[in-house]
């Protein structure tokens, strides 16, 4: 626990720089590119093949798993929206969790969405932003991919405070990490074509992913419409290649 506290304090104060919060600088590009290449090999050799197998699942089952993963994240959304002062969104998140965990069969069916309680995702990185903490330098983290230092701090806090960790604390390691692995596979499967095309057509895959990440983090609607944003970025990339 002391190590977690140390990491939190270190990362929390690292992002405080004088540059504008509307940009992310990349002072560690050399090491970032090395980690990026490592992550890309992990994706090509492991994550993508597993995701291809996962995509074979019937659509209703795949959708049910996606709904379940979303439901698991609602307590984190609730806490962060509360600390951001977004009380209405916090109420929607906890309402979604209670409804989908009961009527929705532990979240497999998104009943709350049919009741006009739409999804709103956030994280502790955005909570720090609401408290005035700067974004910080751009990083590429092994296995996790692009992060700013503020986002990385938020990810660590979210993982530590996730109630699921305490529910599964007495289970085997494989069971404890299974939700995170399943989320990674589900997300990769859902963006299969876009990621593959981006890798194949990008002149600089590292820079393309960084641009997408920055656009996502600075979108006005927190984590809403990210898939559309990625598709728009890829479409603009294709148009540039055609014009060239």
């Amino acid at each position: 626990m002391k190590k977690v506290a140390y990491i939190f304090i270190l990362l929390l104060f690292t992002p405080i720089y004088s540059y504008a919060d509307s940009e992310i600088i990349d002072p560690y590009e050399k090491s970032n590119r090395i980690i990026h290449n490592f992550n890309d090999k992990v994706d090509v050799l492991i994550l993508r093949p597993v995701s291809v197998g996962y995509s074979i699942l019937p659509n209703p089952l795949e959708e049910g798993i996606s709904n379940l993963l979303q439901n698991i994240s609602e307590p984190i959304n609730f806490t962060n929206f509360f600390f951001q002062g977004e009380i209405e969104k916090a109420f929607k998140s906890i309402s979604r969790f209670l409804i989908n965990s009961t009527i929705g069969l532990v979240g497999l069916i998104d009943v709350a969405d049919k009741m006009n309680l739409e999804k709103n995702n956030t994280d502790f990185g955005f909570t720090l932003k609401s408290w005035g903490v700067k974004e910080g330098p751009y990083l590429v983290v092994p296995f996790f991919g692009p992060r700013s230092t503020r986002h990385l701090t938020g990810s660590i806090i979210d993982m530590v405070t996730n109630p699921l960790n305490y529910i599964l604390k007495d289970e085997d390691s494989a069971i404890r990490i299974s939700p995170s692995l399943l989320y990674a596979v589900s997300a990769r499967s859902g963006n299969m074509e876009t990621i593959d095309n981006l890798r194949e057509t990008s002149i600089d895959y590292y820079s393309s992913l960084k641009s997408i990440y920055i656009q996502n983090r600075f979108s006005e609607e927190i984590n809403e419409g990210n898939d559309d944003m990625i598709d728009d970025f890829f479409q603009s990339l294709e148009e540039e290649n055609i014009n060239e």
Side-chain angles (χ1 to χ4, degrees):
M1 197 64 189
K2 290 182 179 179
K3 290 183 179 180
V4 172
Y6 175 77
I7 293 172
F8 170 68
I9 293 172
L10 177 65
L11 291 175
L12 181 59
F13 288 98
T14 298
I16 303 178
Y17 291 93
S18 59
Y19 57 83
D21 196 41
S22 60
E23 62 182 46
I24 301 180
I25 63 172
D26 189 2
Y28 313 118
E29 182 173 349
K30 185 175 180 179
S31 58
N32 280 341
R33 284 184 178 274
I34 293 173
I35 299 173
H36 163 79
N37 291 335
F38 167 78
N39 285 346
D40 190 42
K41 287 182 173 59
V42 171
D43 179 66
V44 171
L45 297 176
I46 300 175
L47 186 56
R48 187 185 185 284
V50 174
S51 300
V52 170
Y54 176 85
S55 65
I56 299 175
L57 293 175
N59 287 337
L61 180 57
E62 196 170 346
E63 182 180 355
I65 294 174
S66 178
N67 290 339
L68 175 62
L69 294 171
Q70 170 66 32
N71 193 52
I72 290 173
S73 70
E74 291 295 4
I76 297 176
N77 290 333
F78 165 75
T79 303
N80 282 306
F81 279 132
F82 179 81
F83 283 121
Q84 292 167 22
E86 298 281 357
I87 305 303
E88 182 178 350
K89 288 184 178 181
F91 177 76
K92 284 184 178 181
S93 292
I94 199 62
S95 298
R96 282 181 52 81
F97 179 72
L98 294 174
I99 292 170
N100 288 340
S101 295
T102 53
I103 305 174
L105 303 178
V106 200
L108 290 172
I109 304 173
D110 193 351
V111 178
D113 187 61
K114 297 177 174 60
M115 299 171 65
N116 295 322
L117 289 171
E118 71 277 6
K119 301 175 185 176
N120 285 296
N121 296 321
T122 189
D123 55 52
F124 198 77
F126 284 107
T127 300
L128 291 174
K129 179 180 181 179
S130 71
W131 294 350
V133 178
K134 297 298 182 181
E135 191 75 40
Y138 178 78
L139 303 172
V140 180
V141 184
F143 301 108
F144 288 91
R147 291 287 192 278
S148 67
T149 48
R150 185 177 70 194
H151 186 191
L152 179 59
T153 302
S155 297
I156 293 173
I157 299 303
D158 284 336
M159 286 189 291
V160 171
T161 58
N162 190 342
L164 192 63
N165 293 330
Y166 301 96
I167 295 173
L168 300 177
K169 66 178 181 179
D170 296 326
E171 302 294 336
D172 293 336
S173 298
I175 295 178
R176 289 201 303 270
I177 66 173
S178 59
S180 297
L181 294 177
L182 190 57
Y183 178 83
V185 172
S186 177
R188 181 61 172 86
S189 176
N191 293 284
M192 181 76 67
E193 184 176 350
T194 300
I195 294 175
D196 289 349
N197 287 338
L198 188 64
R199 176 187 284 117
E200 292 172 5
T201 60
S202 295
I203 297 175
D204 186 349
Y205 186 36
Y206 170 85
S207 296
S208 297
L209 287 180
K210 182 171 70 173
S211 296
I212 289 175
Y213 171 79
I214 293 173
Q215 290 179 58
N216 284 345
R217 292 305 288 180
F218 288 119
S219 61
E220 292 183 358
E221 297 297 327
I222 298 175
N223 285 351
E224 292 180 5
N226 281 356
D227 291 343
D228 292 338
M229 184 173 292
I230 292 174
D231 289 338
D232 290 344
F233 180 88
F234 177 66
Q235 183 177 356
S236 67
L237 186 67
E238 281 186 326
E239 290 174 354
E240 290 178 5
N241 290 336
I242 291 173
N243 292 334
E244 291 176 357

